[in-house]
Amino acid sequence: QFFALRHGQSKANVAKIISSDPSISVKQHGLSDVGKEQATLTGTKLSQSFPSLNCHSGIAIFSSDFRRARETAEIVATSLSDASVPLYRDRVVF
């Protein structure tokens, strides 16, 4: 199975900035506090559905290197690890 997640609310979203330039977005415009809460909740919900996923080698997480996406992926991965859900290769792939 595949799941696609969009990043949580970013500081650029709050400021109504379109942040798509890689030279800026990999360094700036991380998640807002609301975005961090959204990512945590997503990881928790995903961890609760893990037993029904029948995934023995763990969940693979791939992310863009934009700061907002990277922070979302890392928070989701932490939520999964905290719930003892194995991550493929024990990490997020950027």
Side-chain angles (χ1 to χ4, degrees):
Q1 290 185 347
F2 295 91
F3 298 91
L5 303 176
R6 185 176 187 271
H7 59 81
Q9 181 190 69
S10 71
K11 293 175 183 175
N13 295 141
V14 173
K16 299 187 188 296
I17 298 170
I18 296 174
S19 179
S20 59
D21 182 346
S23 67
I24 297 170
S25 296
V26 297
K27 299 174 186 168
Q28 298 179 26
H29 306 133
L31 295 179
S32 67
D33 289 340
V34 169
K36 292 174 184 177
E37 290 173 21
Q38 292 169 333
T40 300
L41 181 61
T42 298
T44 300
K45 287 185 176 187
L46 186 57
S47 71
Q48 292 168 349
S49 65
F50 180 75
S52 66
L53 296 178
N54 197 20
C55 179
H56 302 291
S57 59
I59 292 178
I61 299 177
F62 299 91
S63 173
S64 115
D65 59 350
F66 278 28
R67 186 170 176 183
R68 60 186 179 248
R70 189 176 67 240
E71 288 179 0
T72 299
E74 290 169 344
I75 292 169
V76 168
T78 298
S79 294
L80 292 171
S81 292
D82 289 349
S84 300
V85 175
L87 294 179
Y88 179 72
R89 296 190 177 174
D90 297 320
R91 63 188 174 96
V92 176
V93 180
F94 298 103

